[in-house]
Amino acid sequence: MGNQHEAVKKTTRLKEIVAVMRKYHFLSNFYRQGNPEAICAALQELGPTFVKLGQILSTRPDLVSPEYVKALRKLQDQVTADPFSSVEHTFEAATGKKIATTFVNFDRHPFASASIGQVHHATLFDGTAVVVKVQHPTVTQLVNTDLALLRQAIKLLKYVPTGKMVVDLDKTLDELSRSLLSEIDTLKEAQNGAEFYHLNNGDGIFQVPKVYLTDCAPQVLVNQTMTGESIRTLFKKSDDEAVIKRNRYLAEALVRNFMKQVFVDHFFHADPHPGNILFSPGQSGEQKITRQVDKRVGSRQVSYRQLEELPPYRLTYLDFGMMGRLTPVMADGIAEVILALTTKNNNRIARAVLGICNQTGDLNENQFTRQLAKFLRPYLAEGVGQIDFANMLYRIIQLCQKNNLQIKPEVTLLIKAFGTLESTVAKLDPDISMMAVARPFGIAYLKRKLNARNLVDDSIFQSIATLQSINKLPEKIDTALEAFSNGDIEIKLRYKEQSKLLKQVERITNRFLVVIILAAVILGSSLLVENSTQHPHIYHLGVTGYAISIAVIIILLVSELVHRFRRWRNQNK
């Protein structure tokens, strides 16, 4: 591939892309979600933009299969660093400032260089150690060129017989384009980092690097240097009781903080993988406020604070290029899904899932409910802690698509973040299951919705869930009646002695039909006799009708007498 710093020539780049795609049968493999290793090799060969696309795709189990997610996570995007003269030019052009007047010192050699940019150590004039991320010069042009060429290639794919479709390539490229263009907007990442710092820095053991927005620009990011090692260094199995206790505390802290991000802040880190979470020593004896209560007793205002001593270590979040944001209504919808899964009520689960989806066509809700219940049955039976989360998510999204439903993008991002977090938490404390992570979400939702206090007991949780169901009984009855009127419900009643009753009804019905026929025969015979005095044959026919009717009536009477006698005899045995 041509050097990234040179002008991007579209025709030359197109030839490179086509050659590599043909070599690895890229489009047909991706279209059918087959041979993920070949796709990874092609992305690696196509260069930084495609590697970054692959990495973004690895975080989207709603777009690709679990096998692809696993393979794409292995992609590495280390690229050759730009010379300092190029970095200096980019910084000055983007910020309107000079490096020498912004930093007291600036490391000319980067300590990391990836597909989007490279990172240097520097020091502000007030002595603050910072890291400066500077984008590669032509990365925006290269990304736009590659995306445009990819879109043209997808248009041509409809003329190529590739077999059964597994993914929607147009939709996939739309999603990837939004993610990648957002990631190369460094100023957006800076604004995300500043907001996340305000909401989470100092929340218990959590730290967030401060962003220096006045020194940031669309191609430049400046934030506080944070020390520590990736949390994955703690994943080693140990029999040390102190290490086990520490890791359990860290796992629970990550869950509590993520709950706060989603249900309090409605702004969450969408990529909390181990590389984006640092572990470092902290000050011993530091305390934090875990509860503050303000009450008025008579004319006096009484306040008290509950303090908790923090352990001597900290967790630090990094990289705010991929963030999620929820509306309060959507956050409630997510909590409703978790509550529904907790109660294992199939109808409630289906209604909750419908609440976080967009309808793209005709929908048969009863059919969807049945299919979802059948799909979830083995998962709910075995316990959520043993679920292959990525595979379950991929299959649920496919089920939704078959029923003309599309899970809302912000929800997909949250589920992805939740799955990533669950993986990290499980490696810290294998005893924590998905249900243990999900239950606090539901309890927090109930506390906010019902203003309940100290709602921690499972029996109380189930009681309130039952009360909620009773409160919705009129709505359920209305839904059932509507489904009945539409012909979607079939009612089958069984009586204890149903067979005897049916035989009796059948007997009465047959007698009734015979009586009707006899009445018709007698009426017809009367007309024949009355009007056929001059015609002996017709007269005799009418008399014959009378005779037959009388004979049948005698038989019916005898039969009824015999039936009653037998019934009386059976009752007196």
Side-chain angles (χ1 to χ4, degrees):
M1 186 181 75
N3 192 300
Q4 185 176 331
H5 314 315
E6 298 174 358
V8 180
K9 295 182 179 179
K10 198 169 184 178
T11 53
T12 303
R13 182 63 175 155
L14 177 60
K15 290 179 181 178
E16 294 178 25
I17 293 173
V18 170
V20 173
M21 285 189 170
R22 288 181 62 185
K23 175 181 175 182
Y24 293 98
H25 305 287
F26 185 94
L27 293 176
S28 60
N29 277 328
F30 188 80
Y31 201 62
R32 294 193 302 265
Q33 289 291 276
N35 199 356
E37 292 76 17
I39 296 296
C40 289
L43 294 173
Q44 203 80 54
E45 190 170 328
L46 284 169
T49 305
F50 283 81
V51 169
K52 179 58 67 177
L53 283 172
Q55 290 175 336
I56 293 173
L57 205 56
S58 74
T59 69
R60 298 299 304 269
D62 57 316
L63 298 178
V64 293
S65 67
E67 292 76 16
Y68 264 59
V69 169
K70 185 177 180 180
L72 292 169
R73 283 176 178 169
K74 300 175 184 178
L75 286 172
Q76 301 295 321
D77 63 348
Q78 291 294 324
V79 300
T80 304
D82 300 324
F84 179 71
S85 58
S86 175
V87 173
E88 192 172 33
H89 178 268
T90 299
F91 182 88
E92 292 179 3
T95 64
K97 304 176 183 178
K98 292 185 177 296
I99 287 180
T101 59
T102 306
F103 308 101
V104 66
N105 62 62
F106 188 96
D107 193 342
R108 300 171 67 95
H109 301 286
F111 66 87
S113 179
S115 56
I116 302 300
Q118 57 193 55
V119 191
H120 297 254
H121 286 297
T123 307
L124 297 175
F125 277 92
D126 64 1
T128 303
V130 295
V131 292
V132 184
K133 179 180 178 181
V134 182
Q135 203 173 94
H136 295 306
T138 60
V139 68
T140 301
Q141 182 187 0
L142 182 65
V143 166
N144 287 327
T145 298
D146 286 347
L147 289 175
L149 293 174
L150 264 178
R151 199 167 295 281
Q152 291 179 7
I154 288 174
K155 288 180 180 178
L156 294 175
L157 184 64
K158 64 183 179 181
Y159 300 109
V160 180
T162 53
K164 183 180 178 181
M165 181 189 73
V166 177
V167 296
D168 185 331
L169 292 181
D170 285 313
K171 175 191 168 186
T172 301
L173 186 58
D174 288 341
E175 293 287 331
L176 292 177
S177 297
R178 280 193 289 270
S179 298
L180 188 53
L181 292 174
S182 175
E183 188 159 340
I184 65 175
D185 186 353
T186 312
L187 188 57
K188 180 63 177 176
E189 181 180 348
Q191 292 166 345
N192 288 340
E195 184 175 357
F196 197 79
Y197 173 87
H198 173 71
L199 295 170
N200 292 281
N201 188 54
D203 180 47
I205 63 172
F206 288 91
Q207 301 177 146
V208 180
K210 182 179 180 181
V211 179
Y212 295 88
L213 284 172
T214 55
D215 297 319
C216 296
Q219 291 178 290
V220 176
L221 173 64
V222 181
N223 57 251
Q224 177 186 2
T225 300
M226 306 302 289
T227 58
E229 296 181 309
S230 167
I231 198 173
R232 66 167 53 94
T233 59
L234 308 181
F235 292 168
K236 299 175 183 177
K237 189 174 181 180
S238 173
D239 296 326
D240 188 332
E241 191 63 33
V243 172
I244 295 173
K245 184 178 179 181
R246 179 201 64 193
N247 286 1
R248 181 173 294 118
Y249 181 92
L250 294 175
E252 292 175 353
L254 282 166
V255 173
R256 288 195 302 270
N257 178 258
F258 188 74
M259 285 167 52
K260 184 189 80 71
Q261 292 177 37
V262 174
F263 290 104
V264 178
D265 306 335
H266 300 153
F267 182 70
F268 60 93
H269 197 299
D271 194 21
H273 65 76
N276 284 338
I277 304 174
L278 299 182
F279 173 81
S280 61
Q283 294 181 358
S284 181
E286 185 179 344
Q287 295 183 325
K288 73 164 185 174
I289 299 172
T290 58
R291 188 181 181 194
Q292 180 168 336
V293 178
D294 299 306
K295 288 186 176 180
R296 180 170 293 278
V297 181
S299 59
R300 294 185 178 182
Q301 181 75 20
V302 178
S303 301
Y304 69 88
R305 293 178 176 180
Q306 182 177 323
L307 299 177
E308 175 186 323
E309 185 172 327
L310 296 176
Y313 39 77
R314 301 290 179 268
L315 292 178
T316 304
Y317 275 108
L318 302 176
D319 191 354
F320 308 104
M322 188 181 296
M323 305 296 291
R325 193 180 298 276
L326 299 172
T327 64
V329 173
M330 186 56 64
D332 290 347
I334 295 295
E336 181 61 31
V337 172
I338 295 170
L339 281 176
L341 286 169
T342 303
T343 60
K344 299 184 180 181
N345 184 312
N346 291 325
N347 289 324
R348 188 174 182 182
I349 293 172
R351 289 198 308 272
V353 171
L354 289 173
I356 60 172
C357 291
N358 292 320
Q359 189 173 329
T360 59
D362 293 334
L363 171 67
N364 185 326
E365 289 190 22
N366 293 311
Q367 176 181 298
F368 174 69
T369 300
R370 290 194 299 271
Q371 291 177 354
L372 185 62
K374 183 179 179 181
F375 167 76
L376 289 175
R377 193 175 297 122
Y379 289 101
L380 295 178
E382 70 180 9
V384 189
Q386 286 70 50
I387 292 176
D388 181 344
F389 193 84
N391 184 59
M392 184 185 77
L393 172 62
Y394 185 67
R395 291 180 61 192
I396 285 179
I397 291 172
Q398 284 185 319
L399 178 62
C400 288
Q401 289 174 344
K402 290 178 181 177
N403 287 273
N404 297 318
L405 294 169
Q406 182 182 63
I407 293 181
K408 295 178 181 178
E410 61 269 34
V411 178
T412 302
L413 199 59
L414 173 61
I415 296 174
K416 174 262 164 189
F418 186 62
T420 304
L421 179 72
E422 190 274 338
S423 176
T424 301
V425 165
K427 289 175 182 175
L428 288 171
D429 183 5
D431 294 331
I432 288 186
S433 69
M434 282 293 295
M435 189 59 74
V437 175
R439 187 176 295 276
F441 282 71
I443 292 175
Y445 169 77
L446 280 179
K447 282 184 176 180
R448 185 175 68 258
K449 282 295 181 184
L450 303 176
N451 197 26
R453 296 180 180 179
N454 301 320
L455 188 61
V456 295
D457 188 84
D458 280 348
S459 61
I460 298 176
F461 172 81
Q462 292 293 349
S463 298
I464 290 182
T466 302
L467 287 175
Q468 282 188 327
S469 296
I470 293 173
N471 188 46
K472 293 180 179 179
L473 189 58
E475 177 187 347
K476 292 181 178 180
I477 293 174
D478 181 65
T479 302
L481 289 175
E482 183 180 353
F484 181 74
S485 64
N486 291 334
D488 295 326
I489 293 180
E490 217 177 89
I491 297 179
K492 295 183 179 180
L493 299 176
R494 289 192 64 85
Y495 177 61
K496 186 176 180 181
E497 297 183 354
Q498 179 176 316
S499 58
K500 292 183 179 179
L501 177 64
L502 291 176
K503 287 181 180 179
Q504 186 71 9
V505 171
E506 183 180 5
R507 180 171 170 273
I508 293 172
T509 303
N510 290 337
R511 293 290 179 89
F512 185 66
L513 291 173
V514 170
V515 169
I516 292 174
I517 294 171
L518 284 173
V521 170
I522 292 172
L523 179 62
S525 297
S526 299
L527 292 173
L528 291 174
V529 170
E530 180 72 22
N531 299 296
S532 60
T533 55
Q534 305 299 322
H535 302 279
H537 296 293
I538 297 177
Y539 176 80
H540 290 306
L541 181 61
V543 172
T544 303
Y546 278 130
I548 293 173
S549 298
I550 292 171
V552 172
I553 290 171
I554 293 172
I555 292 171
L556 287 175
L557 288 172
V558 172
S559 174
E560 181 64 25
L561 290 172
V562 171
H563 174 73
R564 293 194 178 201
F565 174 74
R566 288 177 179 173
R567 188 171 61 180
W568 173 82
R569 188 175 61 180
N570 291 333
Q571 289 175 350
N572 289 278
K573 278 185 178 182

